[in-house]
Amino acid sequence: MIRWRDGEVLSVRREWAGTVELTVRTKPEGDELPALAYPALVGRPEPGDRVLLNTNALALGLGTGGYALVVALPDRLPPDPDFPGHLVKARYTPLQAVVQGADEQDSPHHDLLREADSLDGMPVVIADLHSALPAICAAVLAARPGTRIAYVMSDGGALPLWFSRTAAELRRAGWLLGSVTVGQSFGGDLEAVTLHTGLLAARHVLGAELTVVSQGPGNLGTGTRWGFSGVSSGEAVNAVAALDGRPVGSLRVSEADPRPRHRGVSHHSLTAYGRVALASADLVVPDLPGPFGDQVRDAVEPLRARHRVVRVPVDGLLDALRRAPVKLSTMGRGLDEDTAYFLAAAAAGRYAAALLGDR
């Protein structure tokens, strides 16, 4: 199940929060590969170090995961960590990691979260893909500068938040006040056992006014009705509603995707919101022009039976998107190649910001 390689670090290419990008040479093949190491898990590799690699992502040609991953520095193991936590993530795998959950008994936040039971009406924007995160933030901050935005990352895609350069850059730019990783994902500013406690931690520990929920980079889809990691969008609607939050559904929309099931409104959104979400959400429909805009609006009409479908104008949003501190990209397509996708996410951000008003 794992393609193992032995290698040597040739150089450190760049770094971002929690991650070191390397060039390695495999032995005995002599192939030079890009690789990622998470120092909190394996220690910090340096040029000349021997590394043990997992090359599955490279062999499969994964679009977001085209790296070998450093599993260990067998000749220079890191010291034992001194950690207070008891939450085990990636449980019962060879790289299970122990973290401190915001909700566990020894956490300084336990007393605050023990009785926490409400999001106090906080808007929570729910998106299928991680690539929607910067577009949502761009629109929120354009409409309401200074809004305190938290990011809650579920475990449908990448498990380490460190893999996301987008999240790291948004935090560095001050667009995110912090992050919470839930379920089996890890590496956020806060850790939580479930999406429910992750949302409560975003509200009551981080002090978020607005939260964005999505899976990490590298979503999984099978081309079947139910076999895709984005079903968690519907489950997130239920969690937000159960906690007295305001679920805002961001639609996955594309005019450029070559796959018919994702053109117009993706079947991921139609299934997650139409079948999985049992609570009502505000589903934001971007007011796009022309026949494509009509197609998007018509596709969402059946969802009115359960949800509040709201049309949001997109004028001015393109300028806001171009000001993002990160490169916008979804499925290898940038802002100019799939403008409708990013406008749909931004429209959800604009609507959520309006819910906050002046509070």
Side-chain angles (χ1 to χ4, degrees):
M1 297 174 67
I2 296 178
R3 294 171 174 86
W4 296 96
R5 292 294 184 274
D6 201 356
E8 178 185 352
V9 177
L10 297 180
S11 65
V12 175
R13 299 167 60 168
R14 56 179 170 171
E15 301 182 40
W16 58 93
T19 306
V20 179
E21 184 183 74
L22 311 164
T23 299
V24 300
R25 179 185 292 125
T26 61
K27 303 176 180 179
E29 298 89 352
D31 298 329
E32 292 190 12
L33 307 176
L36 291 184
Y38 304 122
L41 295 183
V42 301
R44 181 185 168 81
E46 301 289 350
D49 278 340
R50 180 185 166 216
V51 288
L52 189 61
L53 303 169
N54 177 335
T55 62
N56 274 351
L58 279 172
L60 293 174
L62 299 183
T64 52
Y67 292 96
L69 294 174
V70 174
V71 179
L73 280 66
D75 301 328
R76 190 166 61 83
L77 297 176
D80 289 345
D82 181 18
F83 52 81
H86 298 86
L87 234 78
V88 181
K89 298 206 177 186
R91 291 188 282 272
Y92 299 101
T93 70
L95 282 179
Q96 61 183 359
V98 179
V99 299
Q100 184 174 65
D103 41 358
E104 68 171 280
Q105 287 86 343
D106 292 338
S107 164
H109 310 301
H110 182 260
D111 287 346
L112 177 61
L113 292 175
R114 180 171 50 199
E115 300 300 328
D117 195 43
S118 175
L119 296 176
D120 306 319
M122 178 179 68
V124 178
V125 184
I126 298 159
D128 178 14
L129 300 180
H130 186 70
S131 53
L133 174 62
I136 293 167
C137 292
V140 171
L141 294 173
R144 193 174 184 272
T147 300
R148 294 173 58 83
I149 306 172
Y151 172 47
V152 174
M153 189 178 99
S154 64
D155 54 15
L159 297 186
L161 178 68
W162 308 314
F163 184 72
S164 173
R165 290 196 299 273
T166 293
E169 286 299 312
L170 292 177
R171 180 69 190 279
R172 191 174 68 85
W175 282 32
L176 290 176
L177 68 94
S179 58
V180 188
T181 38
V182 303
Q184 288 296 294
S185 68
F186 55 91
D189 296 293
L190 297 174
E191 309 280 357
V193 176
T194 66
L195 176 58
H196 298 73
T197 49
L199 288 165
L200 290 166
R203 176 63 173 172
H204 298 290
V205 178
L206 293 180
E209 298 174 276
L210 183 149
T211 294
V212 181
V213 173
S214 77
Q215 59 189 321
N219 71 299
L220 179 61
T222 63
T224 63
R225 177 172 295 173
W226 294 102
F228 63 96
S229 52
V231 294
S232 61
S233 297
E235 295 160 353
V237 170
N238 299 333
V240 174
L243 295 171
D244 299 321
R246 185 75 177 263
V248 176
S250 174
L251 296 174
R252 179 175 172 180
V253 167
S254 178
E255 199 171 7
D257 199 304
R259 298 164 295 181
R261 65 184 184 275
H262 291 307
R263 279 201 299 274
V265 179
S266 167
H267 84 97
H268 284 196
S269 290
L270 297 176
T271 299
Y273 296 132
R275 301 288 299 279
V276 181
L278 302 179
S280 180
D282 297 345
L283 294 188
V284 177
V285 179
D287 206 1
L288 301 171
F292 181 74
D294 294 337
Q295 178 186 346
V296 169
R297 288 184 287 273
D298 290 346
V300 180
E301 278 302 305
L303 301 183
R304 285 186 182 275
R306 179 169 302 158
H307 302 289
R308 297 173 295 274
V309 175
V310 291
R311 289 173 57 172
V312 173
V314 297
D315 55 295
L317 288 179
L318 200 55
D319 290 338
L321 290 168
R322 295 197 189 281
R323 292 194 293 270
V326 299
K327 179 183 178 181
L328 300 179
S329 178
T330 184
M331 300 294 168
R333 299 184 297 273
L335 177 58
D336 293 330
E337 289 78 35
D338 205 349
T339 305
Y341 170 83
F342 296 103
L343 286 176
R350 170 176 277 179
Y351 178 79
L355 293 177
L356 289 172
D358 296 327
R359 62 170 163 157

